[in-house]
Amino acid sequence: MENWNRILPETMPHPNQRVLVSDGETTAIAQYCIDHDSVVWLFDNPSLKDITLTWWQELPDEPPKVQTVSNELL
């Protein structure tokens, strides 16, 4: 689990920072927020709002590289 941080009070990302989050099976992008002293995760995909998060990691500075598959291989 290189680069992953356990979600604990002492290892939380900076507030309002978008990060990768995971429950160990599903990985998503979410923003960590503090709302009236409670933790709130705002997901890019709202349908994932009910997963129980246990891990997070910073997003890379560069966007991901898109890999294409040749039609010949399909």
Side-chain angles (χ1 to χ4, degrees), residues 7-27:
I7 294 180
L8 299 169
E10 60 271 12
T11 61
M12 296 300 281
H14 298 289
N16 302 319
Q17 178 183 6
R18 290 177 72 235
V19 294
L20 285 175
V21 291
S22 177
D23 65 355
E25 293 182 22
T26 303
T27 302

Side-chain angles (χ1 to χ4, degrees), residues 13-43:
H14 298 289
N16 302 319
Q17 178 183 6
R18 290 177 72 235
V19 294
L20 285 175
V21 291
S22 177
D23 65 355
E25 293 182 22
T26 303
T27 302
I29 296 175
Q31 184 174 351
Y32 169 69
C33 300
I34 299 174
D35 183 35
H36 302 293
D37 296 326
S38 64
V39 172
V40 177
W41 289 97
L42 302 175
F43 288 86

Side-chain angles (χ1 to χ4, degrees), residues 54-70:
T54 52
W55 300 97
W56 72 273
Q57 73 171 257
E58 292 185 10
L59 288 168
D61 292 333
E62 297 293 321
K65 294 180 181 175
V66 176
Q67 296 180 351
T68 59
V69 177
S70 169

